Amino acid sequence: MGVRKKQMAERIKAEKKELAFAKLNNCPTSPRKMRLVADLVRGAEVEKALAILRFNPKEASRRLEKLLLSAIANWQAKNEDANIEEAELIVKEIRVDSGRMLKRLRPAPQGRAHRIRKRSNHVTLVVGANNNTEA
């Protein structure tokens, strides 16, 4: 491996050590409903995001709260010597993509049928330390 390639690989590895992520696949909620809640916590500090999710009445917020706690636990596993309060963790990225769609038929008048699309989604949540320290 060349010197520049090795340096680049080490730099990328060091950057990934600062980040931790968690994924939620095939969540049986429509992506549109999940994005409404995800937009509330995007870019927020972890403690604030947990408070927002805990007191939000939407059903999607319960799933995102559990996912955020999982991402925090993953960050702790990567950085055993670091402290969460000192690291000032923030939600770097939260992405909601559409997942598998279950297609069902509902009877309609005069022998017809309407298609019902039961949507699901995939959520990816990335947590990282806040590097914007003002001197």
Side-chain angles (χ1 to χ4, degrees):
M1 185 183 302
V3 175
R4 284 187 304 171
K5 195 171 184 181
K6 191 172 185 178
Q7 289 173 347
M8 186 69 161
E10 289 173 359
R11 191 182 63 130
I12 290 172
K13 190 175 179 182
E15 288 175 0
K16 283 191 177 180
K17 186 166 175 55
E18 296 292 320
L19 299 177
F21 70 97
K23 289 179 77 172
L24 174 65
N25 286 332
N26 293 321
C27 178
T29 311
S30 74
R32 187 173 178 179
K33 291 178 185 176
M34 187 67 84
R35 280 189 197 108
L36 285 173
V37 180
D39 290 340
L40 295 174
V41 297
R42 185 174 285 120
E45 294 177 6
V46 169
E47 291 83 14
K48 186 177 178 185
L50 282 172
I52 290 170
L53 292 174
R54 187 162 290 130
F55 296 110
N56 194 331
K58 293 190 178 288
E59 188 259 341
S61 66
R62 306 288 171 261
R63 298 177 194 270
L64 282 183
E65 180 184 2
K66 192 171 177 183
L67 186 68
L68 182 56
L69 289 172
S70 175
I72 293 168
N74 292 343
W75 187 88
Q76 277 182 323
K78 271 187 172 181
N79 305 294
E80 293 173 353
D81 55 335
N83 191 2
I84 293 180
E85 288 80 23
E86 294 172 1
E88 297 178 2
L89 291 179
I90 61 169
V91 179
K92 291 260 186 191
E93 179 184 348
I94 183 165
R95 194 169 56 244
V96 180
D97 302 317
S98 64
R100 183 176 18 207
M101 195 182 310
L102 300 175
K103 294 178 179 167
R104 302 289 182 256
L105 293 177
R106 167 156 294 161
Q110 298 180 356
R112 289 189 297 253
H114 293 313
R115 175 155 302 163
I116 303 295
R117 294 186 301 256
K118 296 190 174 194
R119 299 175 189 269
S120 67
N121 63 57
H122 305 313
V123 184
T124 306
L125 195 141
V126 179
V127 170
N130 192 2
N131 296 334
N132 298 337
T133 54
E134 297 176 11

